[in-house]
Amino acid sequence: MPELPSLPTLKDLHALKPLQQPTYPDPAEATDVVRRLRRLPPLVFAGECDELREKMAGVAAGKAFVLQGGDCAETFAGVTAANIQNKLRTLLSMAIVLTYAAQVPVVKVGRMAGQYTKPRSSDTETRDALTLPAYRGDAVNGFEFTEEARRHDPQRLLGVYNASSATLNLVRAFVKGGFADMRTMHSWNSDFVRNSPAGVRYEQLTAEIERALAFIEACGIDSEETRTVDFYASHEGLSLEYEHAMTRIDSRTHRPYNTSGHLIWIGERTRQLDGAHVELMRHVRNPIAVKLGPTTSADTALELADRLDPDGEPGRITFITRMGAGKIRDLLPDVVEKVTASGRQVAWVCDPMHGNTFETANGYKTRAFSDVIDEVNGFFDVHDELGTWPGGVHIELTGDDVTECVGGAQELVEADLSSRYETLCDPRLNRNQSLELAFQVAERLVQSRNSRGASTRAAASTPGLWA
């Protein structure tokens, strides 16, 4: 199949010496897999990407808020109805809290249906005297520490497609088939409310919402928008073979869209201005996000925006900041201030997870919930001081009661980590910690919304609040 028009070829991209790519032992096999992927149907549609881009424009304009969350690294084994449902109900519960308490529309984006590739700080891992390739996610190799499992296998890219397709199919069925109906809010978390402070608080809030819904229905108003939600998929566009193969020409506009997900982001390790990932993503019409870590300067952010979005299109660019709790108040103001002064209106989203990772004495990689909250507060502090809009949060979370991050209302300590430490890569908030975070974010959103006066309140009162 010929390469798509207006796109660099894979050969062009590899000539740019891309970072964080697998090393396939048989290039011909990889080429065949890419050819097979190109023939498969799209996973998402161009029109859905356009809808999300319009909603992200609302976020950039201070009229909506983004909740983006999911696993650090999805696994093929994790593609079960129970796992997908648990993650979805956690995100929907968080969205309920944010929407009702803060009175702003919430754009719901899953870190799912494609998050199967992970960048690594080292190419290899050594245990005892054996050194093998590092685990780079199920898209590349297996987690088991054997030579066969750790081999970089291009056939796994077909597994990514199949797993993502199954996930998206079930998510669409859930959000459009009644699971997301606001009248079912109690059932989403009924099994842990009794033992969770955040759950009890959530139960009280949903009771208030149910009374409001009953009043609306008594007035003869029956809105379909309380029964379904719009839900979008996102992942880091790390594997050039996969992302290039899934890029297609839209029959309406004759322009390229990456149909592997609605929103694709470029990671902190691969955002080189002249790099292959920026070069590929600048050609597609999806909304694009870029992770900005503590080494990011304001000039770098502006150069990336100019490269990826030369026309300054609303909703095109999202900057996801991941500075760390101890640095965000010092480093973020200059970046936000200069980007804003340039006239660009980008969506600002806080990733309070990746800058706050540490290893415990007993060998577990973890994050302190207090650090996560501190970075979120720092993010809001900076935007409130500058008069800019804190547009969203990007969270690594799960719908299960794992013990991977210390702290929170349950007061998990390092000794608790061994109880249910299930992640294959980075530690995630469990659903109690996720709900607790949502309440704290909602409180900051109320403050930010009130400080901006009537314009934001008017935007929040528009139809489609839950959708």
PDB file of all heavy atoms in Angstrom, residues 55 91-97 99-100 104-108 175 179-183 185 188 202 224-230 462-467:
ATOM      1  N   LYS A  55     -14.042  20.722  21.647  1.00  0.00           N
ATOM      2  CA  LYS A  55     -14.172  20.766  23.100  1.00  0.00           C
ATOM      3  C   LYS A  55     -12.881  21.243  23.756  1.00  0.00           C
ATOM      4  O   LYS A  55     -12.912  21.966  24.766  1.00  0.00           O
ATOM      5  CB  LYS A  55     -14.573  19.392  23.637  1.00  0.00           C
ATOM      6  CG  LYS A  55     -15.984  19.002  23.231  1.00  0.00           C
ATOM      7  CD  LYS A  55     -16.438  17.702  23.867  1.00  0.00           C
ATOM      8  CE  LYS A  55     -17.890  17.412  23.469  1.00  0.00           C
ATOM      9  NZ  LYS A  55     -18.448  16.221  24.145  1.00  0.00           N
ATOM     10  N   LEU A  91     -13.537   7.064  36.461  1.00  0.00           N
ATOM     11  CA  LEU A  91     -13.480   8.330  35.723  1.00  0.00           C
ATOM     12  C   LEU A  91     -14.831   9.033  35.723  1.00  0.00           C
ATOM     13  O   LEU A  91     -14.910  10.261  35.893  1.00  0.00           O
ATOM     14  CB  LEU A  91     -12.995   8.082  34.298  1.00  0.00           C
ATOM     15  CG  LEU A  91     -11.499   7.770  34.166  1.00  0.00           C
ATOM     16  CD1 LEU A  91     -11.189   7.189  32.790  1.00  0.00           C
ATOM     17  CD2 LEU A  91     -10.667   9.023  34.401  1.00  0.00           C
ATOM     18  N   LEU A  92     -15.908   8.282  35.548  1.00  0.00           N
ATOM     19  CA  LEU A  92     -17.233   8.898  35.551  1.00  0.00           C
ATOM     20  C   LEU A  92     -17.571   9.455  36.930  1.00  0.00           C
ATOM     21  O   LEU A  92     -18.184  10.531  37.038  1.00  0.00           O
ATOM     22  CB  LEU A  92     -18.289   7.880  35.113  1.00  0.00           C
ATOM     23  CG  LEU A  92     -18.241   7.421  33.651  1.00  0.00           C
ATOM     24  CD1 LEU A  92     -19.348   6.404  33.382  1.00  0.00           C
ATOM     25  CD2 LEU A  92     -18.357   8.593  32.691  1.00  0.00           C
ATOM     26  N   SER A  93     -17.187   8.747  37.981  1.00  0.00           N
ATOM     27  CA  SER A  93     -17.428   9.251  39.333  1.00  0.00           C
ATOM     28  C   SER A  93     -16.658  10.544  39.572  1.00  0.00           C
ATOM     29  O   SER A  93     -17.190  11.504  40.153  1.00  0.00           O
ATOM     30  CB  SER A  93     -17.015   8.201  40.366  1.00  0.00           C
ATOM     31  OG  SER A  93     -17.743   7.005  40.223  1.00  0.00           O
ATOM     32  N   MET A  94     -15.401  10.583  39.148  1.00  0.00           N
ATOM     33  CA  MET A  94     -14.610  11.806  39.279  1.00  0.00           C
ATOM     34  C   MET A  94     -15.237  12.942  38.494  1.00  0.00           C
ATOM     35  O   MET A  94     -15.296  14.092  38.953  1.00  0.00           O
ATOM     36  CB  MET A  94     -13.178  11.552  38.810  1.00  0.00           C
ATOM     37  CG  MET A  94     -12.398  10.565  39.660  1.00  0.00           C
ATOM     38  SD  MET A  94     -10.775  10.160  38.937  1.00  0.00           S
ATOM     39  CE  MET A  94      -9.884  11.702  39.263  1.00  0.00           C
ATOM     40  N   ALA A  95     -15.721  12.623  37.299  1.00  0.00           N
ATOM     41  CA  ALA A  95     -16.330  13.649  36.452  1.00  0.00           C
ATOM     42  C   ALA A  95     -17.607  14.204  37.083  1.00  0.00           C
ATOM     43  O   ALA A  95     -17.892  15.402  36.981  1.00  0.00           O
ATOM     44  CB  ALA A  95     -16.620  13.087  35.061  1.00  0.00           C
ATOM     45  N   ILE A  96     -18.386  13.329  37.725  1.00  0.00           N
ATOM     46  CA  ILE A  96     -19.587  13.777  38.426  1.00  0.00           C
ATOM     47  C   ILE A  96     -19.223  14.801  39.500  1.00  0.00           C
ATOM     48  O   ILE A  96     -19.846  15.859  39.636  1.00  0.00           O
ATOM     49  CB  ILE A  96     -20.320  12.576  39.058  1.00  0.00           C
ATOM     50  CG1 ILE A  96     -21.117  11.818  37.994  1.00  0.00           C
ATOM     51  CG2 ILE A  96     -21.240  13.026  40.179  1.00  0.00           C
ATOM     52  CD1 ILE A  96     -22.402  12.475  37.575  1.00  0.00           C
ATOM     53  N   VAL A  97     -18.200  14.474  40.286  1.00  0.00           N
ATOM     54  CA  VAL A  97     -17.755  15.374  41.344  1.00  0.00           C
ATOM     55  C   VAL A  97     -17.349  16.730  40.767  1.00  0.00           C
ATOM     56  O   VAL A  97     -17.763  17.791  41.252  1.00  0.00           O
ATOM     57  CB  VAL A  97     -16.590  14.741  42.125  1.00  0.00           C
ATOM     58  CG1 VAL A  97     -15.966  15.745  43.081  1.00  0.00           C
ATOM     59  CG2 VAL A  97     -17.056  13.507  42.884  1.00  0.00           C
ATOM     60  N   THR A  99     -18.037  18.072  37.780  1.00  0.00           N
ATOM     61  CA  THR A  99     -19.100  18.770  37.065  1.00  0.00           C
ATOM     62  C   THR A  99     -20.078  19.423  38.028  1.00  0.00           C
ATOM     63  O   THR A  99     -20.410  20.608  37.888  1.00  0.00           O
ATOM     64  CB  THR A  99     -19.871  17.786  36.158  1.00  0.00           C
ATOM     65  OG1 THR A  99     -18.954  17.160  35.261  1.00  0.00           O
ATOM     66  CG2 THR A  99     -20.920  18.517  35.338  1.00  0.00           C
ATOM     67  N   TYR A 100     -20.525  18.671  39.027  1.00  0.00           N
ATOM     68  CA  TYR A 100     -21.554  19.188  39.914  1.00  0.00           C
ATOM     69  C   TYR A 100     -20.999  20.210  40.915  1.00  0.00           C
ATOM     70  O   TYR A 100     -21.589  21.264  41.139  1.00  0.00           O
ATOM     71  CB  TYR A 100     -22.216  18.039  40.671  1.00  0.00           C
ATOM     72  CG  TYR A 100     -23.452  18.460  41.429  1.00  0.00           C
ATOM     73  CD1 TYR A 100     -24.639  18.747  40.767  1.00  0.00           C
ATOM     74  CD2 TYR A 100     -23.428  18.580  42.820  1.00  0.00           C
ATOM     75  CE1 TYR A 100     -25.773  19.135  41.455  1.00  0.00           C
ATOM     76  CE2 TYR A 100     -24.560  18.963  43.525  1.00  0.00           C
ATOM     77  CZ  TYR A 100     -25.733  19.246  42.832  1.00  0.00           C
ATOM     78  OH  TYR A 100     -26.853  19.633  43.517  1.00  0.00           O
ATOM     79  N   VAL A 104     -18.683  23.284  35.941  1.00  0.00           N
ATOM     80  CA  VAL A 104     -18.077  23.485  34.621  1.00  0.00           C
ATOM     81  C   VAL A 104     -18.220  22.191  33.829  1.00  0.00           C
ATOM     82  O   VAL A 104     -18.173  21.095  34.402  1.00  0.00           O
ATOM     83  CB  VAL A 104     -16.576  23.884  34.692  1.00  0.00           C
ATOM     84  CG1 VAL A 104     -16.396  25.254  35.301  1.00  0.00           C
ATOM     85  CG2 VAL A 104     -15.766  22.845  35.456  1.00  0.00           C
ATOM     86  N   PRO A 105     -18.414  22.279  32.514  1.00  0.00           N
ATOM     87  CA  PRO A 105     -18.433  21.063  31.699  1.00  0.00           C
ATOM     88  C   PRO A 105     -17.091  20.342  31.788  1.00  0.00           C
ATOM     89  O   PRO A 105     -16.035  20.977  31.786  1.00  0.00           O
ATOM     90  CB  PRO A 105     -18.683  21.588  30.276  1.00  0.00           C
ATOM     91  CG  PRO A 105     -19.248  22.956  30.453  1.00  0.00           C
ATOM     92  CD  PRO A 105     -18.635  23.493  31.710  1.00  0.00           C
ATOM     93  N   VAL A 106     -17.129  19.031  31.880  1.00  0.00           N
ATOM     94  CA  VAL A 106     -15.912  18.232  31.998  1.00  0.00           C
ATOM     95  C   VAL A 106     -15.758  17.370  30.755  1.00  0.00           C
ATOM     96  O   VAL A 106     -16.643  16.586  30.414  1.00  0.00           O
ATOM     97  CB  VAL A 106     -15.950  17.349  33.263  1.00  0.00           C
ATOM     98  CG1 VAL A 106     -14.742  16.408  33.295  1.00  0.00           C
ATOM     99  CG2 VAL A 106     -15.974  18.225  34.513  1.00  0.00           C
ATOM    100  N   VAL A 107     -14.644  17.518  30.072  1.00  0.00           N
ATOM    101  CA  VAL A 107     -14.311  16.700  28.910  1.00  0.00           C
ATOM    102  C   VAL A 107     -13.641  15.437  29.423  1.00  0.00           C
ATOM    103  O   VAL A 107     -12.601  15.495  30.089  1.00  0.00           O
ATOM    104  CB  VAL A 107     -13.376  17.451  27.941  1.00  0.00           C
ATOM    105  CG1 VAL A 107     -13.088  16.600  26.708  1.00  0.00           C
ATOM    106  CG2 VAL A 107     -13.967  18.800  27.542  1.00  0.00           C
ATOM    107  N   LYS A 108     -14.229  14.294  29.120  1.00  0.00           N
ATOM    108  CA  LYS A 108     -13.765  13.025  29.694  1.00  0.00           C
ATOM    109  C   LYS A 108     -12.910  12.274  28.670  1.00  0.00           C
ATOM    110  O   LYS A 108     -13.392  11.889  27.607  1.00  0.00           O
ATOM    111  CB  LYS A 108     -14.979  12.194  30.124  1.00  0.00           C
ATOM    112  CG  LYS A 108     -15.701  12.800  31.327  1.00  0.00           C
ATOM    113  CD  LYS A 108     -17.099  12.286  31.495  1.00  0.00           C
ATOM    114  CE  LYS A 108     -18.079  13.001  30.588  1.00  0.00           C
ATOM    115  NZ  LYS A 108     -18.293  14.417  30.917  1.00  0.00           N
ATOM    116  N   VAL A 175     -20.957   3.763  27.656  1.00  0.00           N
ATOM    117  CA  VAL A 175     -21.305   5.179  27.786  1.00  0.00           C
ATOM    118  C   VAL A 175     -22.568   5.544  27.010  1.00  0.00           C
ATOM    119  O   VAL A 175     -23.201   6.567  27.299  1.00  0.00           O
ATOM    120  CB  VAL A 175     -20.139   6.092  27.358  1.00  0.00           C
ATOM    121  CG1 VAL A 175     -18.915   5.835  28.222  1.00  0.00           C
ATOM    122  CG2 VAL A 175     -19.797   5.944  25.882  1.00  0.00           C
ATOM    123  N   PHE A 179     -25.017   2.626  31.093  1.00  0.00           N
ATOM    124  CA  PHE A 179     -24.124   2.576  32.252  1.00  0.00           C
ATOM    125  C   PHE A 179     -23.786   3.975  32.757  1.00  0.00           C
ATOM    126  O   PHE A 179     -23.609   4.185  33.961  1.00  0.00           O
ATOM    127  CB  PHE A 179     -22.837   1.831  31.883  1.00  0.00           C
ATOM    128  CG  PHE A 179     -21.854   1.715  33.018  1.00  0.00           C
ATOM    129  CD1 PHE A 179     -22.068   0.812  34.047  1.00  0.00           C
ATOM    130  CD2 PHE A 179     -20.711   2.499  33.052  1.00  0.00           C
ATOM    131  CE1 PHE A 179     -21.164   0.698  35.102  1.00  0.00           C
ATOM    132  CE2 PHE A 179     -19.804   2.392  34.093  1.00  0.00           C
ATOM    133  CZ  PHE A 179     -20.026   1.496  35.119  1.00  0.00           C
ATOM    134  N   ALA A 180     -23.709   4.949  31.850  1.00  0.00           N
ATOM    135  CA  ALA A 180     -23.334   6.305  32.228  1.00  0.00           C
ATOM    136  C   ALA A 180     -24.519   7.164  32.645  1.00  0.00           C
ATOM    137  O   ALA A 180     -24.352   8.356  32.916  1.00  0.00           O
ATOM    138  CB  ALA A 180     -22.590   6.983  31.070  1.00  0.00           C
ATOM    139  N   ASP A 181     -25.710   6.595  32.701  1.00  0.00           N
ATOM    140  CA  ASP A 181     -26.890   7.343  33.114  1.00  0.00           C
ATOM    141  C   ASP A 181     -26.675   7.877  34.530  1.00  0.00           C
ATOM    142  O   ASP A 181     -26.304   7.141  35.443  1.00  0.00           O
ATOM    143  CB  ASP A 181     -28.111   6.417  33.078  1.00  0.00           C
ATOM    144  CG  ASP A 181     -29.424   7.172  33.220  1.00  0.00           C
ATOM    145  OD1 ASP A 181     -29.458   8.191  33.944  1.00  0.00           O
ATOM    146  OD2 ASP A 181     -30.422   6.746  32.600  1.00  0.00           O
ATOM    147  N   MET A 182     -26.907   9.172  34.724  1.00  0.00           N
ATOM    148  CA  MET A 182     -26.676   9.772  36.030  1.00  0.00           C
ATOM    149  C   MET A 182     -27.553   9.150  37.118  1.00  0.00           C
ATOM    150  O   MET A 182     -27.250   9.256  38.305  1.00  0.00           O
ATOM    151  CB  MET A 182     -26.907  11.285  35.960  1.00  0.00           C
ATOM    152  CG  MET A 182     -25.891  12.008  35.092  1.00  0.00           C
ATOM    153  SD  MET A 182     -26.154  13.787  35.027  1.00  0.00           S
ATOM    154  CE  MET A 182     -25.622  14.255  36.656  1.00  0.00           C
ATOM    155  N   ARG A 183     -28.622   8.494  36.727  1.00  0.00           N
ATOM    156  CA  ARG A 183     -29.493   7.841  37.707  1.00  0.00           C
ATOM    157  C   ARG A 183     -28.862   6.567  38.272  1.00  0.00           C
ATOM    158  O   ARG A 183     -29.411   5.970  39.204  1.00  0.00           O
ATOM    159  CB  ARG A 183     -30.845   7.526  37.077  1.00  0.00           C
ATOM    160  CG  ARG A 183     -31.642   8.784  36.721  1.00  0.00           C
ATOM    161  CD  ARG A 183     -32.705   8.501  35.680  1.00  0.00           C
ATOM    162  NE  ARG A 183     -33.363   9.714  35.244  1.00  0.00           N
ATOM    163  CZ  ARG A 183     -32.868  10.561  34.337  1.00  0.00           C
ATOM    164  NH1 ARG A 183     -31.690  10.303  33.782  1.00  0.00           N
ATOM    165  NH2 ARG A 183     -33.527  11.656  33.990  1.00  0.00           N
ATOM    166  N   MET A 185     -25.687   6.515  39.397  1.00  0.00           N
ATOM    167  CA  MET A 185     -24.464   6.936  40.087  1.00  0.00           C
ATOM    168  C   MET A 185     -24.191   6.144  41.358  1.00  0.00           C
ATOM    169  O   MET A 185     -23.036   5.839  41.680  1.00  0.00           O
ATOM    170  CB  MET A 185     -24.544   8.425  40.435  1.00  0.00           C
ATOM    171  CG  MET A 185     -24.487   9.342  39.239  1.00  0.00           C
ATOM    172  SD  MET A 185     -24.651  11.064  39.747  1.00  0.00           S
ATOM    173  CE  MET A 185     -26.323  11.077  40.379  1.00  0.00           C
ATOM    174  N   TRP A 188     -22.358   2.763  40.821  1.00  0.00           N
ATOM    175  CA  TRP A 188     -20.975   2.756  40.350  1.00  0.00           C
ATOM    176  C   TRP A 188     -20.005   2.409  41.474  1.00  0.00           C
ATOM    177  O   TRP A 188     -18.985   1.773  41.260  1.00  0.00           O
ATOM    178  CB  TRP A 188     -20.590   4.114  39.765  1.00  0.00           C
ATOM    179  CG  TRP A 188     -21.333   4.487  38.526  1.00  0.00           C
ATOM    180  CD1 TRP A 188     -22.073   3.658  37.726  1.00  0.00           C
ATOM    181  CD2 TRP A 188     -21.428   5.782  37.937  1.00  0.00           C
ATOM    182  NE1 TRP A 188     -22.627   4.368  36.685  1.00  0.00           N
ATOM    183  CE2 TRP A 188     -22.237   5.677  36.783  1.00  0.00           C
ATOM    184  CE3 TRP A 188     -20.905   7.032  38.264  1.00  0.00           C
ATOM    185  CZ2 TRP A 188     -22.536   6.754  35.961  1.00  0.00           C
ATOM    186  CZ3 TRP A 188     -21.197   8.109  37.447  1.00  0.00           C
ATOM    187  CH2 TRP A 188     -22.000   7.982  36.308  1.00  0.00           C
ATOM    188  N   TYR A 202     -18.931  11.074  48.325  1.00  0.00           N
ATOM    189  CA  TYR A 202     -19.508  10.917  46.992  1.00  0.00           C
ATOM    190  C   TYR A 202     -20.985  10.532  47.078  1.00  0.00           C
ATOM    191  O   TYR A 202     -21.822  11.033  46.323  1.00  0.00           O
ATOM    192  CB  TYR A 202     -18.724   9.849  46.228  1.00  0.00           C
ATOM    193  CG  TYR A 202     -19.317   9.471  44.887  1.00  0.00           C
ATOM    194  CD1 TYR A 202     -19.101  10.263  43.767  1.00  0.00           C
ATOM    195  CD2 TYR A 202     -20.089   8.318  44.747  1.00  0.00           C
ATOM    196  CE1 TYR A 202     -19.642   9.924  42.543  1.00  0.00           C
ATOM    197  CE2 TYR A 202     -20.629   7.973  43.531  1.00  0.00           C
ATOM    198  CZ  TYR A 202     -20.399   8.774  42.426  1.00  0.00           C
ATOM    199  OH  TYR A 202     -20.947   8.434  41.218  1.00  0.00           O
ATOM    200  N   GLU A 224     -31.966  13.796  27.444  1.00  0.00           N
ATOM    201  CA  GLU A 224     -31.145  12.655  27.057  1.00  0.00           C
ATOM    202  C   GLU A 224     -29.703  12.849  27.500  1.00  0.00           C
ATOM    203  O   GLU A 224     -28.951  11.884  27.692  1.00  0.00           O
ATOM    204  CB  GLU A 224     -31.214  12.471  25.539  1.00  0.00           C
ATOM    205  CG  GLU A 224     -30.359  11.342  24.975  1.00  0.00           C
ATOM    206  CD  GLU A 224     -30.797   9.971  25.469  1.00  0.00           C
ATOM    207  OE1 GLU A 224     -31.983   9.822  25.841  1.00  0.00           O
ATOM    208  OE2 GLU A 224     -29.971   9.050  25.483  1.00  0.00           O
ATOM    209  N   GLU A 225     -29.300  14.096  27.701  1.00  0.00           N
ATOM    210  CA  GLU A 225     -27.909  14.391  28.037  1.00  0.00           C
ATOM    211  C   GLU A 225     -27.526  13.928  29.432  1.00  0.00           C
ATOM    212  O   GLU A 225     -26.354  13.927  29.790  1.00  0.00           O
ATOM    213  CB  GLU A 225     -27.654  15.892  27.885  1.00  0.00           C
ATOM    214  CG  GLU A 225     -27.662  16.330  26.416  1.00  0.00           C
ATOM    215  CD  GLU A 225     -27.687  17.839  26.278  1.00  0.00           C
ATOM    216  OE1 GLU A 225     -27.980  18.528  27.269  1.00  0.00           O
ATOM    217  OE2 GLU A 225     -27.424  18.329  25.171  1.00  0.00           O
ATOM    218  N   THR A 226     -28.499  13.545  30.253  1.00  0.00           N
ATOM    219  CA  THR A 226     -28.161  12.982  31.569  1.00  0.00           C
ATOM    220  C   THR A 226     -27.968  11.480  31.507  1.00  0.00           C
ATOM    221  O   THR A 226     -27.624  10.863  32.516  1.00  0.00           O
ATOM    222  CB  THR A 226     -29.260  13.311  32.596  1.00  0.00           C
ATOM    223  OG1 THR A 226     -30.477  12.665  32.199  1.00  0.00           O
ATOM    224  CG2 THR A 226     -29.475  14.813  32.703  1.00  0.00           C
ATOM    225  N   ARG A 227     -28.196  10.876  30.350  1.00  0.00           N
ATOM    226  CA  ARG A 227     -28.157   9.416  30.235  1.00  0.00           C
ATOM    227  C   ARG A 227     -26.897   8.886  29.537  1.00  0.00           C
ATOM    228  O   ARG A 227     -26.550   7.721  29.693  1.00  0.00           O
ATOM    229  CB  ARG A 227     -29.397   8.926  29.491  1.00  0.00           C
ATOM    230  CG  ARG A 227     -30.694   9.135  30.257  1.00  0.00           C
ATOM    231  CD  ARG A 227     -31.861   8.438  29.551  1.00  0.00           C
ATOM    232  NE  ARG A 227     -33.064   8.466  30.373  1.00  0.00           N
ATOM    233  CZ  ARG A 227     -33.956   9.440  30.355  1.00  0.00           C
ATOM    234  NH1 ARG A 227     -33.777  10.465  29.541  1.00  0.00           N
ATOM    235  NH2 ARG A 227     -35.016   9.398  31.139  1.00  0.00           N
ATOM    236  N   THR A 228     -26.275   9.708  28.728  1.00  0.00           N
ATOM    237  CA  THR A 228     -25.087   9.274  28.002  1.00  0.00           C
ATOM    238  C   THR A 228     -23.993  10.324  28.147  1.00  0.00           C
ATOM    239  O   THR A 228     -24.254  11.468  28.525  1.00  0.00           O
ATOM    240  CB  THR A 228     -25.383   9.059  26.502  1.00  0.00           C
ATOM    241  OG1 THR A 228     -25.745  10.314  25.907  1.00  0.00           O
ATOM    242  CG2 THR A 228     -26.511   8.063  26.297  1.00  0.00           C
ATOM    243  N   VAL A 229     -22.769   9.929  27.849  1.00  0.00           N
ATOM    244  CA  VAL A 229     -21.653  10.875  27.873  1.00  0.00           C
ATOM    245  C   VAL A 229     -20.820  10.696  26.605  1.00  0.00           C
ATOM    246  O   VAL A 229     -20.858   9.641  25.957  1.00  0.00           O
ATOM    247  CB  VAL A 229     -20.737  10.672  29.101  1.00  0.00           C
ATOM    248  CG1 VAL A 229     -21.508  10.851  30.399  1.00  0.00           C
ATOM    249  CG2 VAL A 229     -20.061   9.311  29.069  1.00  0.00           C
ATOM    250  N   ASP A 230     -20.081  11.731  26.286  1.00  0.00           N
ATOM    251  CA  ASP A 230     -19.056  11.630  25.248  1.00  0.00           C
ATOM    252  C   ASP A 230     -17.748  11.260  25.940  1.00  0.00           C
ATOM    253  O   ASP A 230     -17.341  11.905  26.917  1.00  0.00           O
ATOM    254  CB  ASP A 230     -18.897  12.960  24.505  1.00  0.00           C
ATOM    255  CG  ASP A 230     -20.125  13.312  23.695  1.00  0.00           C
ATOM    256  OD1 ASP A 230     -20.789  12.396  23.186  1.00  0.00           O
ATOM    257  OD2 ASP A 230     -20.434  14.517  23.575  1.00  0.00           O
ATOM    258  N   THR A 462     -24.481  26.316  30.188  1.00  0.00           N
ATOM    259  CA  THR A 462     -24.968  25.957  28.868  1.00  0.00           C
ATOM    260  C   THR A 462     -25.397  24.505  28.834  1.00  0.00           C
ATOM    261  O   THR A 462     -24.951  23.696  29.642  1.00  0.00           O
ATOM    262  CB  THR A 462     -23.881  26.189  27.812  1.00  0.00           C
ATOM    263  OG1 THR A 462     -22.728  25.447  28.176  1.00  0.00           O
ATOM    264  CG2 THR A 462     -23.524  27.651  27.698  1.00  0.00           C
ATOM    265  N   PRO A 463     -26.267  24.106  27.865  1.00  0.00           N
ATOM    266  CA  PRO A 463     -26.700  22.717  27.769  1.00  0.00           C
ATOM    267  C   PRO A 463     -25.522  21.778  27.530  1.00  0.00           C
ATOM    268  O   PRO A 463     -24.480  22.180  27.026  1.00  0.00           O
ATOM    269  CB  PRO A 463     -27.660  22.729  26.569  1.00  0.00           C
ATOM    270  CG  PRO A 463     -28.099  24.157  26.447  1.00  0.00           C
ATOM    271  CD  PRO A 463     -26.937  24.977  26.913  1.00  0.00           C
ATOM    272  N   GLY A 464     -25.723  20.519  27.870  1.00  0.00           N
ATOM    273  CA  GLY A 464     -24.697  19.516  27.617  1.00  0.00           C
ATOM    274  C   GLY A 464     -23.662  19.415  28.693  1.00  0.00           C
ATOM    275  O   GLY A 464     -22.534  19.017  28.461  1.00  0.00           O
ATOM    276  N   LEU A 465     -24.020  19.799  29.930  1.00  0.00           N
ATOM    277  CA  LEU A 465     -23.051  19.810  31.018  1.00  0.00           C
ATOM    278  C   LEU A 465     -22.456  18.436  31.272  1.00  0.00           C
ATOM    279  O   LEU A 465     -21.263  18.289  31.448  1.00  0.00           O
ATOM    280  CB  LEU A 465     -23.756  20.325  32.275  1.00  0.00           C
ATOM    281  CG  LEU A 465     -22.872  20.580  33.502  1.00  0.00           C
ATOM    282  CD1 LEU A 465     -21.886  21.687  33.203  1.00  0.00           C
ATOM    283  CD2 LEU A 465     -23.707  20.955  34.702  1.00  0.00           C
ATOM    284  N   TRP A 466     -23.284  17.392  31.289  1.00  0.00           N
ATOM    285  CA  TRP A 466     -22.787  16.043  31.569  1.00  0.00           C
ATOM    286  C   TRP A 466     -22.130  15.432  30.346  1.00  0.00           C
ATOM    287  O   TRP A 466     -21.125  14.734  30.449  1.00  0.00           O
ATOM    288  CB  TRP A 466     -23.944  15.181  32.070  1.00  0.00           C
ATOM    289  CG  TRP A 466     -23.608  13.736  32.337  1.00  0.00           C
ATOM    290  CD1 TRP A 466     -24.306  12.646  31.935  1.00  0.00           C
ATOM    291  CD2 TRP A 466     -22.522  13.216  33.090  1.00  0.00           C
ATOM    292  NE1 TRP A 466     -23.731  11.489  32.376  1.00  0.00           N
ATOM    293  CE2 TRP A 466     -22.604  11.800  33.099  1.00  0.00           C
ATOM    294  CE3 TRP A 466     -21.438  13.799  33.760  1.00  0.00           C
ATOM    295  CZ2 TRP A 466     -21.703  10.976  33.725  1.00  0.00           C
ATOM    296  CZ3 TRP A 466     -20.525  12.963  34.395  1.00  0.00           C
ATOM    297  CH2 TRP A 466     -20.654  11.577  34.379  1.00  0.00           C
ATOM    298  N   ALA A 467     -22.649  15.687  29.159  1.00  0.00           N
ATOM    299  CA  ALA A 467     -22.059  15.127  27.951  1.00  0.00           C
ATOM    300  C   ALA A 467     -20.694  15.690  27.677  1.00  0.00           C
ATOM    301  O   ALA A 467     -19.854  15.038  27.099  1.00  0.00           O
ATOM    302  CB  ALA A 467     -22.956  15.359  26.748  1.00  0.00           C
TER     303      ALA A 467
END
